[in-house]
Amino acid sequence: MKYSQYGCSILLASTLFACSSTLDDYQDTSPRFELEQYFSSEVTAWGIVQDYTTKLTRRFCVDVVGTWQDKQGQLHETFYYEDGEQQIRIWALTKHPDGSISGSADDVIGQAKGGENGTAFNWQYTLRVPVGDTTYDLAVDDWMFKLDENRVMNRSYMKKLGITVAEISIFFDKTPPLRKCQTSK
């Protein structure tokens, strides 16, 4: 019985992973997402964090300033949470000759790696997340979809031991006149 249950678990897991979306799924979609083009100036975003039960646990606004020189970029993100907490994350980004993109930040373990195809951008990384007096290293599967010239939708799935523990939804907008977080309260 034990082996039968184990075999069913492997079959179920392989079926679920086989159904996962890949960047190739977006080959012929538009508008084209180009990370360095979209994040080449100021952008404001609003987001939510949901836990594993889909309960809303946090809301935030983030001001992003992107700069690029050749294939090297920086995204300076300032998060403003509804409880008054502020957080800064500065991404150092590189777009490689093969089109792949890598990045690092102080709270990212190792390198974020991914790429863009059609309307989608996807990368994976490990994020160190403080919760109370403890920190957790969570695997992040981060997807962005360009909606039009000014708007991008972002969905991130955070996992621990292969189990989704949180989902983040973010809506980016750089429609003029830009409404920044610190002036929107």
Side-chain angles (χ1 to χ4, degrees), residues 8-136:
C8 288
S9 296
I10 290 174
L11 179 61
L12 177 62
S14 65
T15 302
L16 290 174
F17 289 122
C19 296
S20 297
S21 179
T22 69
L23 275 175
D24 290 339
D25 295 335
Y26 302 97
Q27 177 65 40
D28 297 320
T29 60
S30 63
R32 280 191 70 71
F33 188 94
E34 295 174 352
L35 189 72
E36 71 273 24
Q37 183 276 327
Y38 187 80
F39 290 107
S40 63
S41 60
E42 294 183 5
V43 179
T44 300
W46 298 266
I48 61 170
V49 179
Q50 295 173 277
D51 69 11
Y52 66 95
T53 68
T54 70
K55 178 183 176 188
L56 176 68
T57 59
R58 294 195 93 178
R59 291 177 292 127
F60 60 90
C61 183
V62 58
D63 287 324
V64 182
V65 178
T67 56
W68 289 85
Q69 184 159 358
D70 297 320
K71 297 298 179 180
Q72 302 295 312
Q74 182 183 79
L75 293 183
H76 188 284
E77 302 173 325
T78 305
F79 291 83
Y80 301 89
Y81 293 92
E82 86 283 355
D83 62 5
E85 180 186 352
Q86 290 186 21
Q87 177 188 20
I88 293 176
R89 177 175 299 122
I90 301 172
W91 284 99
L93 305 170
T94 301
K95 188 162 188 180
H96 302 281
D98 66 358
S100 66
I101 297 169
S102 62
S104 62
D106 286 344
D107 55 352
V108 172
I109 309 304
Q111 289 280 305
K113 296 179 182 176
E116 54 204 10
N117 197 356
T119 196
F121 170 77
N122 173 245
W123 64 352
Q124 294 85 35
Y125 52 93
T126 301
L127 185 67
R128 181 154 289 158
V129 178
V131 178
D133 295 334
T134 307
T135 58
Y136 297 94

Side-chain angles (χ1 to χ4, degrees), residues 1-10:
M1 192 70 167
K2 244 182 176 177
Y3 296 109
S4 171
Q5 290 173 340
Y6 182 70
C8 288
S9 296
I10 290 174

